[in-house]
Amino acid sequence: MAITDPKIAQDDRSLDQTLRPKGWAEYIGQEMVKKNLKILIQAAQERNEPVEHLLFYGPAGLGKTTLAHLISKELRSQVKVTSGPAIEKVGDLASILTNLSPGDILFIDEVHRLNKLIEEILYPALESRSLDIIIGKGPSARTIQLELPPFTLIAATTRIALLSAPLRSRFSGGTFRLDFYSENEIEKIIERSAKILGINIEKGAVKEVAKRSRFTPRVANRLLKRCRDFAQVEKSQSLTQDLAVRALDLLEIDPLGLEGTDRMILNVIISKFGGGPVGLQTLAAATSEEKETIEEVYEPYLMQLGFLERTPRGRVATGRAYQHLGHSFSGQSAFLS
Ligand code: ADP
């Protein structure tokens, strides 16, 4: 039942847990989502009913799992955590569902990777709290129906477009999009994390780390930790802006937070494909990256920066990307306009 996202290192996972906000006040930003959730929770509590099923979507590291934990805390309920790829067989889901206690929250991360057969078992469980299990094979097969306790499913995905319409329609409590954070919000997150980790950090260093954090809390926390290591090895009592710049430069994270692979993707589009458009499949082959990794990990931030556009004919590098990487731009991506 472990979360099995290969893109999140074990080290990041334990850091996630240490720094996870323990209450709403510590959860910075995403104000509209928080407001809506608080109303849903209060209304359900007043009616003495479980909160309806919820879906969170948005790029990795923006706080979807954290929200599920905050909701469970507010409801004083248990949260059982699993993920789409971890539920391989119908029996896996049946065992998870039949082990729920009344009021529990079931959190399914990467729900877009749930297989179709399992999705279909989930529908009646979500709608009428019943689990239909087929026993036996052939003519002697029969269906038994188990009643499940009241529970709330909270699902998270980075790829909402891959969710089937029937599954999406089952999230009766609502579907909430998490957005990238502002630089100011990321600064607050860094200051809070520095306090928890006992790092004496200068304001200039907070700003420097924030600028390079891809507007993403998980990245901010990871970079802060790397800067702390650097300051410690340099025998400095505090993390100064100069130390942060040196640490981040050494990690080859540029002033806008681009890492080696981001730059490589853009450089390939510019140098090999004349700026694009280039199809995702071709781009994946040319960069030796997985298609899914390009789409889920790199593209959201490159698009947020306005460096990359997805067009019906493929990916295109924008004038801004040319400028940032020091290429001269002749405006050949004209069909973007
Ligand atoms: P996701 O599930 O979207 O991948 P997580 O909920 O695991 O993201 O968040 C990653 C880390 O970022 C968490 O450990 C938490 O410390 C931090 N984080 C996320 N959102 C916030 C927030 N709004 N305020 C403070 N820290 C946050």
Side-chain angles (χ1 to χ4, degrees):
M1 281 241 284
I3 293 180
T4 52
D5 186 341
K7 294 181 290 298
I8 306 174
Q10 191 58 42
D11 187 36
D12 277 3
R13 270 188 215 130
S14 59
L15 187 67
D16 274 0
Q17 274 167 28
T18 315
L19 299 177
R20 184 160 283 155
K22 305 283 181 293
W24 292 110
E26 291 178 35
Y27 191 94
I28 291 152
Q30 312 289 356
E31 298 303 332
M32 288 309 283
V33 177
K34 279 196 291 190
K35 264 188 206 156
N36 278 298
L37 289 177
K38 284 182 188 171
I39 291 171
L40 268 174
I41 292 171
Q42 190 182 336
Q45 278 178 322
E46 284 173 9
R47 289 195 304 267
N48 212 7
E49 286 172 3
V51 171
E52 289 177 74
H53 309 301
L54 302 168
L55 175 65
F56 297 139
Y57 73 99
L62 292 190
K64 300 181 289 297
T65 310
T66 306
L67 279 179
H69 284 277
L70 286 179
I71 293 170
S72 90
K73 196 159 182 222
E74 182 88 20
L75 295 169
R76 291 193 194 82
S77 61
Q78 281 196 86
V79 58
K80 305 252 165 82
V81 177
T82 186
S83 74
I87 308 175
E88 289 174 3
K89 291 180 281 192
V90 169
D92 296 337
L93 180 66
S95 124
I96 293 168
L97 291 173
T98 50
N99 278 302
L100 291 173
S101 304
D104 274 1
I105 287 176
L106 172 61
F107 178 68
I108 306 185
D109 201 8
E110 297 186 77
V111 72
H112 59 276
R113 293 175 66 186
L114 215 53
N115 84 43
K116 294 288 163 264
L117 208 67
I118 288 167
E119 249 185 44
E120 281 178 16
I121 304 280
L122 197 55
Y123 298 153
L126 295 178
E127 268 168 8
S128 50
R129 282 197 242 127
S130 71
L131 182 64
D132 301 325
I133 304 180
I134 301 170
I135 300 182
K137 279 191 182 141
S140 62
R142 61 197 177 91
T143 306
I144 56 165
Q145 205 172 54
L146 297 176
E147 199 185 320
L148 297 168
F151 72 99
T152 301
L153 171 69
I154 302 183
T157 180
T158 48
R159 305 285 306 281
I160 185 131
L162 297 185
L163 249 64
S164 68
L167 182 57
R168 277 175 73 163
S169 70
R170 261 61 179 199
F171 294 99
S172 48
T175 295
F176 297 95
R177 191 180 93 167
L178 272 75
D179 282 318
F180 282 114
Y181 291 68
S182 68
E183 220 162 277
N184 190 22
E185 288 165 346
I186 293 289
E187 286 176 19
K188 286 189 190 147
I189 292 172
I190 292 169
E191 278 164 354
R192 170 181 174 271
S193 300
K195 212 179 261 175
I196 296 171
L197 296 173
I199 304 171
N200 188 8
I201 186 167
E202 276 185 1
K203 187 71 195 172
V206 172
K207 285 188 174 296
E208 200 58 49
V209 178
K211 270 198 310 188
R212 305 194 197 198
S213 291
R214 309 172 81 89
F215 312 126
T216 304
R218 178 180 291 128
V219 177
N221 288 337
R222 178 159 45 83
L223 297 188
L224 176 66
K225 212 173 148 204
R226 294 283 76 81
C227 289
R228 173 180 73 170
D229 293 348
F230 191 84
Q232 184 188 320
V233 170
E234 291 281 315
K235 311 246 174 303
S236 172
Q237 295 301 312
S238 59
L239 179 55
T240 61
Q241 181 166 8
D242 171 58
L243 283 169
V245 169
R246 284 167 54 204
L248 296 168
D249 285 350
L250 194 63
L251 290 168
E252 300 188 333
I253 295 167
D254 77 15
L256 287 183
L258 297 194
E259 298 180 9
T261 312
D262 300 296
R263 291 190 293 267
M264 192 252 293
I265 290 171
L266 291 173
N267 277 322
V268 164
I269 299 177
I270 292 171
S271 312
K272 282 202 178 159
F273 301 100
V278 50
L280 180 60
Q281 191 93 39
T282 312
L283 186 59
T287 55
S288 306
E289 290 288 332
E290 300 271 334
K291 241 171 42 178
E292 291 74 19
T293 313
I294 294 181
E295 274 192 301
E296 287 177 39
V297 179
Y298 299 106
E299 284 188 348
Y301 183 61
L302 293 176
M303 292 195 302
Q304 177 76 13
L305 286 179
F307 281 8
L308 186 95
E309 301 249 341
R310 283 181 186 159
T311 74
R313 292 172 51 210
R315 274 53 177 174
V316 175
T318 65
R320 278 188 181 185
Y322 277 72
Q323 201 179 15
H324 183 68
L325 295 174
H327 294 276
S328 63
F329 181 61
S330 53
Q332 66 270 54
S333 308
F335 67 95
L336 275 180
S337 55

